[in-house]
Amino acid sequence: MIAALSQLASSEHPHRVNTASYLAMSDLVVNFDLNFNMASLDEEDPPRRFRELTAAEVSKIASDRNEKSTAYNTSWGVKILKEWCVTRGRDAAFEMLEPDGLNDLLRSFYAEARNKKGDMYAKQSFVGLRAAIHRHLISEPHCRQINIMSDREFRSANNVFCGVLKQMKKAGLDQSKSKIPIAPGDLKKIASMNTSTPRGLLQLTWFNLEFYFCRRGREGLRQLRGDDFVFLTDDEGAEYCMMTHKEATKNHPGDLRNDNEPQKRMYATGGPACPVATLKRYLSHRNPKCDALFQRPSSGSKKPDQQIRYDACPVGKNTLGNMMKTISSSLGLSHQYTNHCIRATVITELNRNGYDSRTISTLSGHRNEASIRSYCTDSSSVQKRNMSATLSGCLLGEQSNNPNSNSSNNNSNPNRLGLPSSSTSNVRPNPNVSGPTENQALVQNEARMEISENSSVVTHNMSGVNSIFSNCSFSGKVKIYMK
């Protein structure tokens, strides 16, 4: 079109060209050039709405759905199984075996698996070994639709697995102590930690965040930033601290499952051990040149009132992972506690104080309430001391001073409540109740009980109501008044 217009303009009789036609053709040429240039621009530099990724990058995104520690443990378990296959002359490509062949292979492997020293694995390591093989089989690129831990085709292999666990128990290899709750006396030492030094302030701040937010060991500690926490007040004017965002954790990784993680708060308590005040004081002394929440204490001498007391360098992940061990050694605690012991302490103490599993899970983040009960299988140090003292009293023929124990008169008298015979006739055991339910809180204060039978009213003062009535049902009117 441009060539045609040029030819028309250079003709022998340009004066004969209609002016209106020439202008119309000029506009058409301009529009054509503009559209052509825009189309060429789109072809050369298209809008980057969609990101183009390679197959390797897509595979990495799929693998990143698991934590690095999980991926490491998976490769560790698979490596051991493949080494065993090579040693025994088996095909190391066990991923392609049929269920029957894989069952036979695992049956022999479970029985012969040993560590580098030639000894049996510890219980946790052996259980993790089977879990690693299972994750490898069901993950990409194999995606096997099998479960080597529960499918019927692998029953004989799992029988050997359980038999090996029993051998470990007899050999004393079941020595897991990762879930020991911190003793009350040790908690007092931690709460009274000296925070006049940068290291002491760092350690107490770290402990408070682990304790009040019921965090999981070393998970996500290195990723925390100084601006991840905000200080607010609730509807009653109480000050508290909470995180500004939801973290990706083991129980709440951010997948398609119900991932509504409850809001966690750390309330101010006042006094020198206030966790909110401790966090504020630590944040005020951090180095602004480093974004990490936990920073390395300055090596030089720093005064308590000096503004910057930490270097512009984050605390290492191994140092954070062993922080509770360091605190245990520096304070001379009764045990060498681990980071996970703090989480076990929180769940155990809340359970002992009457909080049900569903309420505790709003703080711990557990999806399954049965996981919470696994933390609460042991008695406290106080209960252990009382039980030992009671048994010692039995050997020495002394009466126990345990407030929960019964006196000799109560043991010989079937009427433990001291009620008239006419009133106790309607108190009988309930065969359908085996003991206190999970949601029944232990009543520690005194109670006044009135049992109305016909026109008689009996008043009785007692303690430990739950221990008396947990296996009883009543016919008649029963009223319990709490003081």
Side-chain angles (χ1 to χ4, degrees):
M1 184 177 293
I2 297 176
L5 183 59
S6 301
Q7 183 179 1
L8 180 62
S10 60
S11 61
E12 296 180 356
H13 305 283
H15 58 280
R16 296 181 181 179
V17 178
N18 188 288
T19 305
S21 300
Y22 182 83
L23 293 176
M25 186 171 293
S26 299
D27 293 340
L28 190 61
V29 171
V30 172
N31 292 335
F32 175 80
D33 289 341
L34 180 62
N35 294 333
F36 177 81
N37 292 333
M38 291 299 296
S40 301
L41 181 62
D42 292 343
E43 293 178 0
E44 294 176 358
D45 189 13
R48 297 182 62 83
R49 175 183 178 182
F50 302 104
R51 182 184 177 188
E52 184 177 356
L53 300 176
T54 63
E57 291 175 330
V58 174
S59 299
K60 186 178 184 303
I61 294 176
S63 62
D64 286 345
R65 67 184 181 89
N66 294 323
E67 295 291 332
K68 291 183 178 179
S69 59
T70 303
Y72 174 81
N73 291 332
T74 302
S75 61
W76 165 79
V78 173
K79 178 182 177 182
I80 294 176
L81 178 56
K82 287 183 177 294
E83 289 179 354
W84 177 86
C85 291
V86 174
T87 304
R88 295 292 181 267
R90 302 283 193 102
D91 185 6
F94 64 91
E95 299 90 350
M96 307 307 298
L97 293 176
E98 294 296 327
D100 292 340
L102 183 59
N103 174 72
D104 294 337
L105 183 142
L106 293 176
R107 177 184 173 89
S108 301
F109 171 71
Y110 293 152
E112 299 179 0
R114 296 294 186 272
N115 59 22
K116 293 182 178 180
K117 296 181 180 180
D119 301 327
M120 297 179 67
Y121 283 100
K123 179 181 178 180
Q124 283 189 331
S125 300
F126 191 65
V127 173
L129 187 61
R130 183 180 66 163
I133 298 172
H134 173 68
R135 285 193 301 268
H136 176 71
L137 290 172
I138 65 175
S139 301
E140 294 183 354
H142 310 291
C143 299
R144 297 288 300 273
Q145 299 296 322
I146 56 177
N147 191 325
I148 64 173
M149 297 185 292
S150 61
D151 286 352
R152 182 177 299 179
E153 292 81 0
F154 302 94
R155 179 177 297 176
S156 61
N158 289 321
N159 288 338
V160 174
F161 181 85
C162 294
V164 174
L165 291 178
K166 188 174 181 180
Q167 291 180 352
M168 293 178 180
K169 189 82 170 182
K170 293 180 179 180
L173 299 176
D174 186 5
Q175 300 176 352
S176 175
K177 298 181 180 180
S178 58
K179 292 185 179 181
I180 295 178
I182 303 175
D186 292 335
L187 288 175
K188 293 180 180 179
K189 294 181 181 179
I190 296 174
S192 59
M193 188 185 306
N194 181 19
T195 59
S196 61
T197 63
R199 187 173 302 277
L201 181 59
L202 168 67
Q203 291 177 347
L204 185 57
T205 301
W206 171 87
F207 178 85
N208 287 336
L209 294 179
E210 291 281 297
F211 186 77
Y212 286 97
F213 288 97
C214 197
R215 299 182 62 88
R216 180 189 300 276
R218 66 175 68 191
E219 185 179 52
L221 292 177
R222 188 66 184 272
Q223 287 72 35
L224 291 177
R225 297 291 181 263
D227 56 354
D228 286 345
F229 297 91
V230 62
F231 301 92
L232 303 171
T233 56
D234 62 9
D235 56 329
E236 296 184 358
E239 185 181 12
Y240 66 90
C241 169
M242 61 174 290
M243 293 196 66
T244 58
H245 64 280
K246 294 182 179 180
E247 293 182 282
T249 61
K250 178 181 178 181
N251 293 330
H252 299 273
D255 51 18
L256 295 178
R257 295 175 294 179
N258 183 16
D259 204 42
N260 296 324
E261 186 176 5
Q263 183 189 80
K264 302 178 182 181
R265 298 180 180 181
M266 180 175 67
Y267 273 87
T269 59
C274 175
V276 175
T278 302
L279 177 58
K280 286 184 176 180
R281 186 153 60 94
Y282 172 76
L283 292 176
S284 65
H285 292 300
R286 289 175 61 255
N287 196 311
K289 297 181 180 179
C290 181
D291 294 332
L293 174 63
F294 300 111
Q295 298 177 357
R296 185 177 302 172
S298 298
S299 56
S301 59
K302 299 290 182 179
K303 298 180 180 180
D305 57 348
Q306 192 167 346
Q307 185 65 26
I308 305 301
R309 306 177 66 187
Y310 298 91
D311 295 332
C313 180
V315 178
K317 61 179 182 179
N318 292 331
T319 302
L320 292 173
N322 297 320
M323 184 70 80
M324 195 60 221
K325 291 183 179 180
T326 304
I327 295 176
S328 301
S329 300
S330 61
L331 297 180
L333 303 184
S334 60
H335 286 85
Q336 192 79 2
Y337 298 108
T338 63
N339 290 7
H340 200 79
C341 292
I342 304 176
R343 181 175 173 87
T345 304
V346 174
I347 298 174
T348 302
E349 292 300 326
L350 292 178
N351 177 75
R352 289 173 180 170
N353 283 274
Y355 292 90
D356 60 85
S357 297
R358 179 169 298 181
T359 303
I360 297 175
S361 65
T362 61
L363 180 62
S364 65
H366 282 100
R367 294 179 179 272
N368 189 354
E369 296 180 11
S371 301
I372 296 178
R373 290 192 290 270
S374 65
Y375 286 87
C376 310
T377 57
D378 198 5
S379 55
S380 64
S381 298
V382 176
Q383 293 170 331
K384 293 180 187 295
R385 286 196 296 268
N386 290 339
M387 288 189 292
S388 180
T390 300
L391 296 177
S392 299
C394 293
L395 290 176
L396 300 176
E398 299 176 355
Q399 183 176 353
S400 173
N401 294 325
N402 185 2
N404 294 327
S405 63
N406 302 319
S407 63
S408 57
N409 294 333
N410 288 340
N411 290 335
S412 60
N413 186 0
N415 182 6
R416 295 178 55 195
L417 303 180
L419 302 177
S421 59
S422 60
S423 297
T424 58
S425 60
N426 287 333
V427 181
R428 57 183 180 272
N430 185 358
N432 297 324
V433 179
S434 59
T437 60
E438 179 184 10
N439 294 330
Q440 286 178 323
L442 296 178
V443 181
Q444 301 296 338
N445 57 341
E446 293 184 350
R448 181 164 59 89
M449 183 190 74
E450 295 182 2
I451 298 182
S452 300
E453 179 177 294
N454 297 331
S455 59
S456 62
V457 177
V458 180
T459 302
H460 183 74
N461 293 328
M462 59 190 178
S463 61
V465 177
N466 190 68
S467 62
I468 296 177
F469 295 107
S470 61
N471 293 321
C472 300
S473 61
F474 300 90
S475 62
K477 298 180 179 179
V478 179
K479 297 180 180 179
I480 298 180
Y481 300 91
M482 305 302 300
K483 289 185 179 180

